[in-house]
Amino acid sequence: MAGAGEDAGVAIYMQGLSVSGAPIQARVSADVPLTGSAAACTNCHRASGLGTAEGRARSLPIVAA
């Protein structure tokens, strides 16, 4: 059973939504602003959290034991 904190983490990671339900804001490569679903972690790090590479761009794994 997921707790409120875990649900909030899933919303940020999968949907780009904050605890309040508002879209999160992020920057990629230090200068590209993203908001909401475009800023969801899964876009770059995949649902698995293992990251990916496309051309010269890489997103690192963000998983832990």
Side-chain angles (χ1 to χ4, degrees), residues 3 6 8-9 18 25 27 38 40-43 45:
E6 186 174 335
S18 70
Q25 297 180 354
R27 290 198 180 275
C41 306
T42 58
N43 291 330
H45 299 282

Side-chain angles (χ1 to χ4, degrees), residues 21-53:
I24 63 170
Q25 297 180 354
R27 290 198 180 275
V28 178
S29 300
D31 64 347
V32 179
L34 300 173
T35 302
S37 62
C41 306
T42 58
N43 291 330
C44 298
H45 299 282
R46 302 186 325 190
S48 67
L50 296 176
T52 189

